[in-house]
Amino acid sequence: MEDAFARSVPEVLDFFRVDPSKGLTDIQVTTHARVYGTNVLPHQESTPFWKLVLSQFDDLLVKILIAAAVVSFLLALVNGETGLTAFLEPSVILMILAANAAVGVITETNAEKALEELRAYQADVATVMRNGCFSILPATELVPGDIVEVSVGCKIPADLRMIEMLSDQLRVDQAILTGESSSVEKELESRITTNAVYQDKTNILFSGTVVVAGRARAVVVGVGSNTAMGSIRDSMLKTEDEATPLKRKLDEFGTFLAKVIAGICILVWIVNIGHFRDPVHGGFFQGAVHYFKIAVALAVAAIPEGLPAVVTTCLALGTKRMARLNAIVRSLPSVETLGCTTVICSDKTGTLTTNMMSVSKICVLQSASHGVIAAEYNVSGTTYAPEGSIFDGMGLQLDFPAQFPCLLHIAMCSALCNESVIQYNPDKKKYEKIGESTEVALRILAEKIGLPGFDSMPSALNMLTKHERAAYCNHYWENQFRKISLLEFSRDRKMMSVLCSRKQIEIMFSKGAPESILSKCTSILCNDDGSTVPLTGNIRNEIESRFSSFAGKDTLRCLALALKRMPTGHQNISLDDEKDLTFIGLVGMQDPPREEVRNAILACMTAGIRVMVVTGDNKATAESVCRKIGAFDHLEDFRARSFTASEFEDLPASEKTSALQQMTLFTRVEPSHKKMLVEALQHQNEVVAMTGDGVNDAPALKKADIGIAMGSGTAVAKSASDMVLADDNFATIVAAVAEGRAIYNNTKQFIRYMISSNIGEVVCIFVAAVLGIPDTLVPVQLLWVNLVTDGLPATAIGFNKQDSDVMKAKPRKVNEAVVTGWLFFRYLVIGAYVGLATVAGFIWWFIYSNTGPKIPYSELMNFDSCLKRETAYPCSIFSDRHPSTVAMTVLVVVEMFNALNNLSENQSLIVIPPWSNLWLVGSIGLTMLLHCLILYVPPLSALFSVVPLTWDEWTTVLYLSFPVIIIDEILKLFSRKTTGLRFNLRPRRKREVRDK
């Protein structure tokens, strides 16, 4: 029954044909279960493990690598090769792919946990009336029409419509569903509201929420998937995970690279068809197989096998740095996504504010002897810690606030007319509350005011332990006064009272809504001398004026405090006693903004990131918070920037688009609105970060480009998110965005480094094949260079320092290529030099080396016909391992110099010297050490087909390698001087539309 909130109690009961005094019969229960279903969230079938594994290999580059590994394995078998060297290459490739697949499977498995944790919010049992009597049944057996009784501490077992109030009031904490900062009072009356949101349905008790005060009966109107919690589950199921911007760009580049690789491999094979019959191969088929192996080696050289591992490692390093900032990353790709965030949709309560209600202003009557003089006090401290001071209207701190009569009695009333508890948690090292936030705020106010006499001295209170200090002043007043009788808060009276006795003097303390308390007061306490004077019309008008200012301009939640001297021996109080009260004072409280949020908002504006506040609270309160945190500072009129969910839905379609582009505040929202907002922003090509902590936030967190859950939030929100804020602080998000941008910049640098290195390997093999000289490098050598000598420096590039102006640049566009046209041209030039230098080292050994044969270049080009003609040298020199060792060493050393080029995209090494990143210097040293090990340790040199090099050969290697520094310095200079030159890898489309 979807509109139960709009129906009267008799209408709802008639709909289900249930007698509220007897409940459903067994026959009705069976019928309703068949018609409406059971009260169980259906189990969602998870993706089979084998499908998760196979999906990790659905990538063109990965498929090419698998094909290359399989072909290498088959060719080794056809050629009769045995031993470790024969199968080393395919085995290593497959191991790398398996490791990357494992990471992907673990990530996707975590994403499905949110649905399971949603079940934790379902109640286990319910008190149900059936066949005329109450019984406790499993909540899963409830059906629509069941009569359920709920009381304090009960978790609501299904969606219920209130039918009978069994106490003065019923209050429910539904923050996990709506994000409201305080509990909600429920009522019986029907609600006729257009586009009603959960907050408007004040006669409905929602599944999974908790009763915090009162007792009532209700009828079940929704079970299982038809509850508010069920709609959240369905919304999460419909949400598909989106690829991150970096993943999309790497996939695009991978597809482009794969096509180029395939073309080059085929071209190399076709170019050498004329050499298939060369005698050195032993026949046409053997020649075809030989050059096919070269094509496979080319594919291995061109594909950066270590790229996925290095990207993962760099992102993992970023997560460690972000963890130190209190941002716990659950999904590695989200680290990079942060860098291009354009809109942050932030929850208000607990993220922008402390989620700790505290008194910020006090108003009392100072004196009435010479006209009406009211006094206002400001209160510092915004947490549940008993730390803060009282300041007068001039801003001067009061040393002993309890010496002022009104403040003293405010402390008494706050401590005694109170049912909450404040305590210190040594494990979490923070003060915690039990009870209503407003009552806890009064407890803390009593601690800040302190005690009269010696006990009020700050030094005396500061000597206490945190556990003792938590409620020391409150306990003092509770020991001084004995509570005799209590009148609980009711919706009609809007106040509560408590009768206390001290030294045979009975006093009634009252607190409540200012309009209710004032209407029952006939006198008022003066703060200057402690006297009591009649509450005249002028004084009443002054107090009402201050109340209007507190509630209106300052948007504070206000409470009034009063007392009454009762007759000696009075033991009970009734409603009739709540009259002729003495007004003590007015207190205004708020959930205060975090102090660091204003600067964080400013940093976002500077960085081109729009902050949108999204909350379930009312519009006036949220607007007040936005003014205080600076979200409206740049606006003269913010009415067009602030909308409730209902106001936004009523807008025409054309105006909605415009409103979305300007919106700063979105209030009175429910779960569907948050998800709608994320989708709408994404359709406008925005990269959206969404924060949340409740079960209601899970669908939006899952849908957002990066979902950010609060550390104090629900397990469902955390499981649906990409990142968790350990300190629930908005400023942490901004720090994480800066880190994300720095990580992306470093990621680009090592991707470009690896690409330029692989281009060099491709050029090396291609040029060798075109020139007709022997193979310069064997596949196992290429694999060593790709994984070890490329991988270590590439990872170290991830430690490049964050630019000082990283948060002054606008967010990068989602469709920005990782490697732009001009940069690809730059690295083609670098890659070409790397390849040519490698081939030059190979040729140098044959022609010029003192340890080589010193043969003419023409003989080298005709090496394949050596066996058919007379030569002055043995044909075995063409299988000597020296030339390939020189070539491999040139390739390694030139790439080490190229790694130094990638300390910055455009800055010279003179500006950013190598020692600015000691990790890179160390990785280069370690790489060279590992390379020397395979050269000079016999078992390793045999495995990699290399031999030790002489000093003369090392000198040549350095001469051939160092010029890559000079070439890149020239290209960097050209990049800095020339801004207009850009090349594009593909034609520019008229319109880039985000694929969602």
Side-chain angles (χ1 to χ4, degrees), residues 610-679:
R610 180 156 60 107
V611 177
M612 190 181 298
V613 180
V614 184
T615 178
D617 267 355
N618 67 70
K619 190 173 183 179
T621 301
E623 286 180 348
S624 173
V625 171
C626 286
R627 282 194 295 269
K628 291 173 182 174
I629 63 176
F632 291 153
D633 277 3
H634 60 298
L635 305 172
E636 292 182 4
D637 182 8
F638 56 80
R639 284 176 296 180
R641 308 294 183 99
S642 176
F643 294 89
T644 65
S646 299
E647 290 171 348
F648 182 76
E649 288 185 334
D650 291 340
L651 292 175
S654 58
E655 291 184 26
K656 281 184 179 180
T657 302
S658 174
L660 272 174
Q661 293 171 348
Q662 302 180 72
M663 189 186 296
T664 300
L665 178 62
F666 198 32
T667 54
R668 302 297 283 174
V669 299
E670 60 181 32
S672 59
H673 294 130
K674 288 190 173 185
K675 186 181 176 186
M676 173 275 295
L677 178 65
V678 171
E679 290 174 339

Side-chain angles (χ1 to χ4, degrees), residues 420-567:
S420 69
V421 176
I422 187 76
Q423 59 190 16
Y424 182 72
N425 187 327
D427 296 328
K428 296 181 180 179
K429 296 182 179 180
K430 67 178 183 179
Y431 293 90
E432 295 180 337
K433 73 176 178 81
I434 299 175
E436 286 287 336
S437 298
T438 52
E439 292 200 334
V440 174
L442 292 178
R443 288 272 188 206
I444 301 304
L445 175 62
E447 297 297 327
K448 292 175 181 177
I449 292 175
L451 302 173
F454 173 78
D455 289 327
S456 68
M457 293 178 65
S459 57
L461 295 174
N462 292 338
M463 292 174 65
L464 301 172
T465 65
K466 290 188 175 182
H467 177 73
E468 293 171 329
R469 182 67 186 93
Y472 183 84
C473 298
N474 283 271
H475 290 161
Y476 175 87
W477 293 119
E478 288 170 346
N479 291 331
Q480 291 289 315
F481 289 86
R482 180 172 57 90
K483 291 185 181 181
I484 302 173
S485 180
L486 174 71
L487 279 178
E488 290 185 349
F489 182 92
S490 70
R491 186 180 55 192
D492 296 333
R493 292 162 39 246
K494 294 184 180 179
M495 62 183 293
M496 73 171 286
S497 298
V498 60
L499 177 63
C500 301
S501 175
R502 183 192 185 197
K503 298 178 180 179
Q504 298 183 344
I505 297 175
E506 278 68 46
I507 300 177
M508 183 179 73
F509 293 100
S510 301
K511 77 164 189 274
E515 60 271 22
S516 298
I517 295 291
L518 267 173
S519 66
K520 298 178 185 295
C521 290
T522 56
S523 58
I524 187 167
L525 185 67
C526 292
N527 198 40
D528 58 352
D529 56 6
S531 62
T532 299
V533 299
L535 183 61
T536 63
N538 289 338
I539 296 175
R540 188 183 299 273
N541 291 337
E542 178 66 19
I543 298 298
E544 288 178 348
S545 173
R546 298 300 176 108
F547 165 53
S548 298
S549 175
F550 279 15
K553 177 184 175 183
D554 298 322
T555 61
L556 300 178
R557 185 171 183 177
C558 297
L559 286 177
L561 307 177
L563 58 81
K564 180 181 180 181
R565 178 79 176 266
M566 304 297 290

Side-chain angles (χ1 to χ4, degrees), residues 897-927:
F897 283 125
N898 191 28
L900 295 176
N901 288 332
N902 284 276
L903 283 167
S904 173
E905 183 177 315
N906 293 316
Q907 290 298 324
S908 168
L909 279 172
I910 299 172
V911 177
I912 302 179
W915 52 87
S916 65
N917 186 345
L918 293 177
W919 287 100
L920 181 58
V921 175
S923 69
I924 291 173
L926 180 58
T927 299

Side-chain angles (χ1 to χ4, degrees), residues 161-240:
R161 168 65 162 91
M162 295 269 292
I163 62 171
E164 183 181 359
M165 193 81 73
L166 301 177
S167 61
D168 290 334
Q169 64 166 344
L170 186 82
R171 298 189 72 85
V172 177
D173 180 358
Q174 54 187 40
I176 65 167
L177 189 66
T178 62
E180 292 167 288
S181 55
S182 57
S183 59
V184 177
E185 186 176 353
K186 295 295 181 177
E187 57 188 18
L188 299 178
E189 289 75 16
S190 59
R191 302 281 295 180
I192 307 300
T193 307
T194 305
N195 297 326
V197 295
Y198 290 143
Q199 294 92 324
D200 297 326
K201 301 174 183 178
T202 52
N203 51 28
I204 300 292
L205 309 179
F206 297 106
S207 174
T209 59
V210 179
V211 179
V212 296
R215 181 166 158 258
R217 286 181 189 168
V219 59
V220 177
V221 295
V223 295
S225 296
N226 294 319
T227 62
M229 204 66 71
S231 66
I232 290 174
R233 172 190 172 276
D234 294 341
S235 182
M236 290 171 66
L237 285 175
K238 293 174 184 176
T239 302
E240 296 181 1

